[in-house]
Amino acid sequence: MWGCGALLGARTRSRLWREVLVAWGRRWSAAAPYSASAEPSRVRALVYGHHGDPAKVVELKDLELAAVGGSDVHVRMLAAPINPSDINMIQGNYGLLPKLPAVGGNEGVGQVVAVGSSVTGVKPGDWVIPANAGLGTWRTEAVFSEEALIGVPSDIPLQSAATLSVNPCTAYRMLMDFEQLQPGDSVIQNASNSGVGQAVIQIAAALGLRTVNVVRDRPDIQKLTDRLKSLGAEHVLTEEELRKHEMKNFFKDMPQPRLALNCVGGKSSTELLRHLAPGGTMVTYGGMAKQPVIASVSQLIFKDLKLRGFWLSQWKKDHSPAQFKELILTLCSLIGRGQLTAPACSEVPLQDYQRALEASMQPFVSSKQILTMC
Ligand SMILES: NC(=O)c1ccc[n+]([C@@H]2O[C@H](COP(=O)([O-])OP(=O)(O)OC[C@H]3O[C@@H](n4cnc5c(N)ncnc54)[C@H](OP(=O)(O)O)[C@@H]3O)[C@@H](O)[C@H]2O)c1
């Protein structure tokens, strides 16, 4: 269909976009059909019609809002981050790809405007976040099915709610599900200034775990070190420091980690493995360096290390929606107690999405780009 786009008039193309996107929204969110009698409202959304460079393929479009059916919820989006997985989805390099055209964004928070007659779990005014990836959060409003949403307390900070459903959940599960860690045990991770990394630092500190946090060197490394320490990081090291011979003595004063969390791959992951305790586990959840994990044969044989992977989408398939909701509420209590804050963020109005997309793909930015919809 897209190959014919150039032959169609602007009005026809816009109608096709609208129809495909309403159909797409229904499939992902099980939204009800829109009523022919109601005057449709217009909403703005960041849409891509084919895979490629996000700066080139993402466009700000006017879409039609579907009518609210019995089990639907009309949501006004408040804020939605740009995560690496959003970028990978647009590029077409992710484990889960929506049919195109699609609205970008998998995470975010919105406020309920209206609910259908059979909706019981949320009411107007409540805050909601996506239950699953693929919802398309980069838009001003949408009609979703109730089951596509999870209610969250509206007294937590907006940035925390907007960044809750992916990274903190990943951090929590990786800390809980691979090794039986006790207070005083240590964990090592790379890309520690990532959204996941900052959540790992804080959740680990709340659990009484000690963290060794590896980051890439940069001119303002002390500023980054101070920030991560203020979140609860015990040690912050650069990749180069981790490779130094003196690291041999590092774990004389603290237990060797039984858990390593790998967001990077390549040499960085080889170094994490070198510092794991015998029998320990390295969990790979990201591949920011786009390099394979390389494990030393002797480390594997003589230390019997375990290499595992984690994908939150798979965890959700293997667990019930009630278990995911319980996870979200556990994290909300940590937020409420001041033990889990949002990652360092830059808020960018939706219309300035090009700037936000570009910043989200730059190295050393250390700030999550959050699109604001008002
Ligand atoms: N498996 C799962 O279920 C799951 C869930 C959530 C996230 N993830 C993945 O976790 C990763 C981080 O996500 P996020 O939202 O936390 O990311 P983020 O906040 O955007 O941070 C990206 C991080 O990657 C680092 N980085 C970028 N390029 C790098 C490279 N070439 N070598 C080393 N480090 C590099 C950045 O460090 P600098 O500051 O040095 O640039 C930064 O620490 C992504 O790959 C994401 O897809 C996976």
Side-chain angles (χ1 to χ4, degrees):
M1 185 174 80
W2 298 111
C4 307
L7 302 176
L8 302 173
R11 184 175 281 212
T12 313
R13 274 204 306 275
S14 139
R15 184 175 54 74
L16 283 174
W17 267 103
R18 204 169 60 225
E19 284 170 2
V20 176
L21 282 158
V22 168
W24 177 85
R26 238 182 259 138
R27 198 183 51 257
W28 280 86
S29 65
Y34 61 99
S35 143
S37 58
E39 186 57 33
S41 315
R42 316 287 305 169
V43 302
R44 282 175 308 147
L46 293 180
V47 178
Y48 55 105
H50 48 268
H51 296 298
D53 177 358
K56 296 201 177 110
V57 299
V58 174
E59 293 174 273
L60 187 58
K61 295 237 169 216
D62 279 343
L63 303 183
E64 211 169 85
L65 189 68
V68 182
S71 57
D72 292 337
V73 180
H74 174 191
V75 177
R76 184 169 65 90
M77 290 306 299
L78 301 173
I82 302 178
N83 287 323
S85 55
D86 303 324
I87 298 295
N88 296 151
M89 244 185 206
I90 296 166
Q91 292 166 331
N93 309 321
Y94 196 67
L96 183 160
L97 296 174
K99 275 220 169 150
L100 303 183
V103 177
N106 293 290
E107 210 182 16
V109 61
Q111 185 164 41
V112 175
V113 175
V115 298
S117 53
S118 58
V119 170
T120 52
V122 292
K123 58 181 186 322
D126 285 357
W127 279 12
V128 286
I129 62 173
N132 284 303
L135 201 64
T137 52
W138 298 345
R139 49 175 135 190
T140 52
E141 287 175 64
V143 172
F144 299 120
S145 73
E146 182 184 9
E147 68 194 20
L149 303 167
I150 296 180
V152 293
S154 55
D155 59 357
I156 61 175
L158 184 76
Q159 293 182 347
S160 294
T163 56
L164 179 58
S165 64
V166 179
N167 290 341
C169 298
T170 301
Y172 188 88
R173 292 276 44 116
M174 293 194 299
L175 288 169
M176 300 306 282
D177 296 348
F178 291 90
E179 288 284 340
Q180 298 288 313
L181 300 174
Q182 303 297 329
D185 283 346
S186 70
V187 175
I188 189 166
Q189 64 164 341
N190 54 20
S192 307
N193 59 327
S194 64
V196 178
Q198 292 177 63
V200 165
I201 291 171
Q202 297 178 84
I203 297 167
L207 296 170
L209 302 171
R210 306 171 67 177
T211 53
V212 179
N213 300 282
V214 184
V215 293
R216 292 199 287 185
D217 200 4
R218 64 201 70 217
D220 56 352
I221 186 70
Q222 192 55 47
K223 195 168 146 209
L224 178 60
T225 301
D226 292 346
R227 188 160 65 73
L228 297 185
K229 287 196 169 175
S230 75
L231 297 177
E234 183 163 337
H235 296 283
V236 179
L237 303 171
T238 63
E239 297 276 1
E240 292 72 19
E241 284 169 333
L242 192 68
R243 281 200 282 274
K244 281 194 174 149
H245 190 64
E246 300 83 76
M247 278 301 293
K248 232 173 46 167
N249 299 323
F250 189 83
F251 291 105
K252 290 207 165 126
D253 297 330
M254 73 188 294
Q256 256 193 307
R258 298 220 320 273
L259 181 66
L261 303 177
N262 171 35
C263 174
V264 176
K267 280 185 191 159
S268 177
S269 53
T270 312
E271 288 303 312
L272 293 189
L273 283 171
R274 203 156 68 82
H275 296 290
L276 262 186
T281 302
M282 182 169 82
V283 182
T284 293
Y285 68 96
M288 294 307 295
K290 296 189 165 59
Q291 297 289 325
V293 169
I294 301 162
S296 126
V297 169
S298 63
Q299 299 281 332
L300 287 176
I301 296 174
F302 301 123
K303 284 169 69 181
D304 188 18
L305 302 179
K306 298 186 276 292
L307 301 182
R308 300 284 308 273
F310 178 81
W311 190 29
L312 184 65
S313 296
Q314 188 60 47
W315 185 91
K316 288 200 246 179
K317 280 188 198 153
D318 297 340
H319 294 78
S320 65
Q323 286 171 304
F324 184 55
K325 168 107 189 176
E326 192 185 319
L327 171 57
I328 291 291
L329 293 181
T330 302
L331 294 165
C332 286
S333 345
L334 287 175
I335 294 169
R337 290 202 293 272
Q339 293 175 306
L340 178 61
T341 56
C345 292
S346 307
E347 291 191 3
V348 181
L350 183 69
Q351 64 270 20
D352 295 336
Y353 68 97
Q354 288 285 7
R355 171 160 62 89
L357 283 172
E358 272 163 34
S360 76
M361 292 185 281
Q362 293 301 315
F364 309 120
V365 171
S366 291
S367 186
K368 179 77 66 194
Q369 305 299 302
I370 298 203
L371 298 167
T372 52
M373 312 301 169
C374 304

